[in-house]
Amino acid sequence: MTELQHRPTALLVMEERRRDDVYPEAVLKEIGALADLREPLTRERLAERPEAMDGVEILLSGWGSPVLDSVLMAHAPDLRAVLVAAGSVRPLTTPEFWAREIPIVSAAAANAVPVAEFTLAQVLLGLKQAHRVSREIRERRSYPPDSRVAGAYRSRVGLLGLGEIGALVASHLRSFDVEVLASDPVVDSAAAAELGVRLVGLDELFATCAVVSLHAPLLPETEGLVNGDLVGRMGIGATLINTARGAVVDEPSVIPVLGERPDLTAILDVTWPEPPVPDSPLYTLPNVVLTPHLAGALGAERARMGELVARELRRFVLGQAFQHAVAPDRAHLRA
């Protein structure tokens, strides 16, 4: 092991409920070998005692991150890096933080792993139309004589968004005999081609793909982007998967289409509002599958993000560049 030249002072600030999942004992031990780790705090406790940031060089966090506003930054003159065991850094960054030019790391790459795994499973089920066939069996109380489904052979799969998660899903799909299309205005055709993906417009994506999976961040440009008109263009037996953000789907216009098209299936791991209001048709539509963020990191899966943070901390103390730093002009693209 390379000898450490400097042991920075580190402080972990996040919610207690998920802290042990994200930073289990083994990860904390690794961090403790690299830095002088102070007693952890919650965001609320830090707000009461912002002076706890005095002398802190490395801020570690996760769910329940403190907002790096002018008050907190004024109490953090020694802060040299922020390492966040979560996907998005938008909720905690401010102009006052970016002005200090302090590097901030996101564990989006680690968080993408379970989301991509869940998505791959649902894509393959969608290509077999497993949910639709299962519904029809329950309704008819008999098996269909011949389930005509395309399966994962030369079928088209569409990805709305080729960010961290969308790119990983595309990578997984390269193991199958499917054609992968994508829509993403910030990705060029050459970058998409490296992933084995062909870029198309939204209309073609929804009209020609047997499964469309949403991986777009929630931005003003993407809010309500997936509307009833697009969903209505999907082919017979098609599947829509949303593991991104609920508000990317314009539910008021999509719900009537799902009611009129029982052949379609919507796998909604996110909704807006979340959870749906008690009288939402999403609870009763037979072709809607609701799951409560099962795609995201749960339980022991969350340790992947803490492990990424520990690896980045090691790079810092060895004087190496971060591998997962978020550029200011890219932070808004994180979901």
Side-chain angles (χ1 to χ4, degrees):
M1 172 179 168
T2 305
E3 183 177 352
L4 305 181
Q5 301 300 312
H6 172 64
R7 285 178 58 84
T9 299
L11 176 65
L12 171 57
V13 182
M14 68 172 291
E15 64 179 37
E16 291 182 354
R17 181 167 62 97
R18 289 183 276 198
R19 190 172 65 206
D20 290 344
D21 284 344
V22 178
Y23 293 96
E25 184 177 350
V27 172
L28 288 179
K29 183 177 180 180
E30 183 176 357
I31 291 172
L34 299 167
D36 293 326
L37 187 59
R38 293 181 176 178
E39 285 295 314
L41 297 174
T42 62
R43 176 172 54 195
E44 294 74 20
R45 290 293 303 278
L46 182 60
E48 295 169 359
R49 298 175 45 229
E51 64 274 11
M53 287 295 298
D54 293 345
V56 172
E57 297 168 80
I58 306 293
L59 177 64
L60 309 173
S61 195
W63 281 282
S65 298
V67 177
L68 301 167
D69 56 17
S70 58
V71 174
L72 191 61
M73 296 306 295
H75 285 86
D78 301 311
L79 189 62
R80 299 174 60 194
V82 179
L83 312 181
V84 185
S88 176
V89 299
R90 280 195 292 166
L92 64 153
T93 52
T94 65
E96 292 82 7
F97 168 77
W98 292 117
R100 288 271 297 273
E101 298 185 347
I102 296 171
I104 185 167
V105 162
S106 161
N111 187 56
V113 173
V115 182
E117 291 172 345
F118 179 93
T119 300
L120 176 62
Q122 295 299 338
V123 166
L124 296 176
L125 287 172
L127 292 174
K128 282 288 191 179
Q129 298 188 30
H131 293 293
R132 179 189 64 80
V133 173
S134 178
R135 288 195 304 271
E136 293 181 357
I137 289 172
R138 286 197 305 270
E139 293 168 1
R140 299 175 179 177
R141 295 182 179 273
S142 65
Y143 283 7
D146 185 10
S147 296
R148 291 279 181 175
V149 298
Y153 179 66
R154 297 185 179 179
S155 296
R156 282 186 172 179
V157 176
L159 305 176
L160 177 54
L162 280 177
E164 200 95 47
I165 297 171
L168 187 53
V169 173
S171 178
H172 289 335
L173 288 170
R174 297 186 78 159
S175 299
F176 300 89
D177 291 324
V178 296
E179 180 185 6
V180 183
L181 310 184
S183 288
D184 192 322
V186 301
V187 174
D188 61 36
S189 57
E194 290 183 3
L195 293 168
V197 175
R198 180 166 64 88
L199 292 178
V200 297
L202 279 178
D203 288 350
E204 182 176 351
L205 192 80
F206 279 80
T208 68
C209 291
V211 177
V212 175
S213 186
L214 310 184
H215 302 288
L218 181 58
L219 306 171
E221 300 86 349
T222 62
E223 184 173 354
L225 179 63
V226 178
N227 56 31
D229 181 54
L230 284 174
V231 175
R233 298 181 192 185
M234 298 181 79
I236 299 297
T239 298
L240 174 69
I241 304 167
N242 190 9
T243 58
R245 290 290 184 264
V248 171
V249 175
D250 178 29
E251 290 178 6
S253 68
V254 168
I255 286 174
V257 174
L258 294 175
E260 297 164 2
R261 292 279 308 277
D263 62 287
L264 298 178
T265 299
I267 311 294
L268 304 180
D269 195 51
V270 290
T271 61
W272 185 255
E274 200 167 72
V277 295
D279 61 349
S280 171
L282 294 177
Y283 288 119
T284 55
L285 281 170
N287 54 344
V288 172
V289 178
L290 292 175
T291 53
H293 285 288
L294 288 184
L298 299 175
E301 292 177 318
R302 294 169 177 159
R304 275 198 188 99
M305 292 182 281
E307 291 168 357
L308 182 147
V309 162
R311 290 194 298 272
E312 290 287 73
L313 177 59
R314 178 174 295 279
R315 297 183 67 84
F316 177 86
V317 300
L318 292 176
Q320 300 171 355
F322 289 126
Q323 290 185 326
H324 300 280
V326 180
D329 62 345
R330 301 289 296 178
H332 72 289
L333 298 176
R334 299 284 186 178

